[in-house]
Amino acid sequence: MARKNDKVIITCAVTGGVHTPTMSDALPITPDEIARQSIEAAEAGASIIHLHARDPETGRPTPDPAVFMQFLPRIKQATDAVVNITTGGGLGMTIEQRLAAPLQAEPELCSLNMGSMNFALHPLAGKYQDWKFDWEKPFLEASDDFIFRNTFRDIAYILKHLGEGCGTRFEHECYDVGHLYNLAHFVDQGLVKPPFLVQSIFGILGGIGAEMENVIFMKQTADRLFGDDYVWSVLAAGRYQMPFITQAAMLGGHVRVGLEDSLHIGRGTLAKSNAEQVAKIRKILEELGHAIATPAEARDILELKGGDRVKF
């Protein structure tokens, strides 16, 4: 069974590399917007802030460490939240580009995708007519021929250079059952050490579908493979976000919200901010009798190195 904790960790994924500016005016794009929404999300109850960067002029995902460094120090100065930087980046980025900012920043936590997969966004291209930027529609349409590369060699490289080299731990993103077995391989090799965070992801086209039976199956599989060596969290894309993470918390898991995962706060209603989603899931969890983890408690649960040992 996943490690039992009295407190639920809320992660907020603030901007991501999936949604495009046309889809929501609330999606933070500039370093100022990303910093402000991150701080507000932390104030609302998120103990982990998961971050991507975007070109401030166009909103297109960028791996440029210089852009990350325009918001990382501000977030650290204004909040005690754990900063979690993507190693997934965005469509078409090389592994070297994806690692440029994390290797410079040496954060406490980074995402790490546990397998290569189709990662398809192209159905979104048909849902909008008037695009804010020329890059958006071709970017989405091209994903029908995109393989999100995360080979065993890539994963081992990240674990060695970012994990061993920088003391960074990982949010192991598992988009399908096979990704859990990939993770088990690295655990068996001694490259991943407990307690490790498993983020089970549902509803991405190319990954496991958003069905509640799959949540149970993914958890049962992780329980078999990892026993109490792992910490379990769930995120679900789009309209599945709130119902799935609520169920996950009731099963003893942690939760992730944020405009990376869903642009909505309810059926047909766009969220005004990341903080609005954090506040909503916090209220739901507290009504159900759950206590929310502080950043210090999240660090303790995940055995992180501490915010004083990062390079920003």
Side-chain angles (χ1 to χ4, degrees):
M1 295 288 287
R3 291 199 175 189
K4 287 282 186 232
N5 297 291
D6 296 330
K7 305 288 181 75
V8 179
I9 297 170
I10 300 175
T11 294
C12 184
V14 171
T15 187
V18 172
H19 295 120
T20 69
T22 296
M23 298 176 187
S24 172
D25 291 336
L27 187 71
I29 289 171
T30 67
D32 185 64
E33 291 167 347
I34 291 170
R36 179 170 46 79
Q37 287 215 36
S38 296
I39 293 163
E40 291 171 355
E43 290 170 346
S47 54
I48 299 175
I49 304 294
H50 173 68
L51 294 162
H52 292 238
R54 291 177 181 267
D55 182 317
E57 300 298 321
T58 66
R60 187 175 185 130
T62 177
D64 186 353
V67 179
F68 276 91
M69 287 302 174
Q70 290 178 52
F71 55 77
L72 292 178
R74 286 185 56 189
I75 295 166
K76 181 170 183 280
Q77 287 163 9
T79 168
D80 188 39
V82 174
V83 170
N84 168 345
I85 301 178
T86 180
T87 67
L91 302 186
M93 295 180 193
T94 65
I95 193 74
E96 291 78 17
Q97 289 173 319
R98 287 159 51 182
L99 284 177
L103 286 173
Q104 183 173 324
E106 298 190 13
E108 296 179 79
L109 197 63
C110 276
S111 63
L112 177 53
N113 301 74
M114 293 311 299
S116 299
M117 61 184 288
N118 294 329
F119 199 107
L121 311 172
H122 61 280
L124 294 172
K127 294 187 176 183
Y128 303 88
Q129 298 301 322
D130 300 315
W131 298 92
K132 290 182 182 177
F133 299 99
D134 291 342
W135 67 267
E136 295 179 74
K137 189 175 184 183
F139 172 85
L140 297 167
E141 289 176 333
S143 68
D144 69 349
D145 195 36
F146 173 67
I147 297 171
F148 184 23
R149 174 185 163 144
N150 300 282
T151 65
F152 282 95
R153 185 178 295 179
D154 293 337
I155 295 168
Y157 183 89
I158 293 170
L159 289 172
K160 178 173 174 50
H161 291 274
L162 192 54
E164 292 180 22
C166 302
T168 299
R169 279 189 171 272
F170 297 95
E171 171 195 16
H172 296 276
E173 295 190 335
C174 296
Y175 290 80
D176 219 327
V177 179
H179 292 183
L180 293 171
Y181 286 88
N182 293 352
L183 176 55
H185 165 77
F186 288 104
V187 174
D188 291 343
Q189 296 280 308
L191 293 173
V192 174
K193 296 176 176 62
F196 46 88
L197 175 60
V198 174
Q199 188 73 261
S200 302
I201 300 171
F202 302 89
I204 295 292
L205 183 58
I208 198 166
E211 298 170 15
M212 196 50 64
E213 291 86 349
N214 288 339
V215 178
I216 305 297
F217 180 54
M218 287 278 275
K219 183 176 189 301
Q220 290 173 336
T221 303
D223 285 344
R224 280 198 310 275
L225 291 172
F226 308 127
D228 64 357
D229 282 345
Y230 82 109
V231 176
W232 184 56
S233 182
V234 165
L235 76 87
R239 67 183 183 273
Y240 302 107
Q241 183 187 64
M242 291 293 170
F244 272 57
I245 64 177
T246 301
Q247 291 282 354
M250 293 171 68
L251 292 168
H254 303 279
V255 303
R256 183 172 123 169
V257 293
L259 297 180
E260 172 174 352
D261 302 338
S262 173
L263 295 172
H264 291 81
I265 192 65
R267 188 184 295 271
T269 305
L270 288 170
K272 297 184 183 72
S273 67
N274 282 278
E276 187 180 20
Q277 289 186 352
V278 174
K280 179 172 180 175
I281 192 58
R282 179 176 186 164
K283 182 179 181 185
I284 290 169
L285 296 179
E286 289 179 339
E287 291 284 350
L288 291 170
H290 295 286
I292 307 305
T294 65
E297 289 166 337
R299 287 184 174 92
D300 188 52
I301 291 167
L302 299 173
E303 297 185 12
L304 302 179
K305 66 180 181 178
D308 57 334
R309 293 180 58 201
V310 301
K311 294 286 181 68
F312 56 89

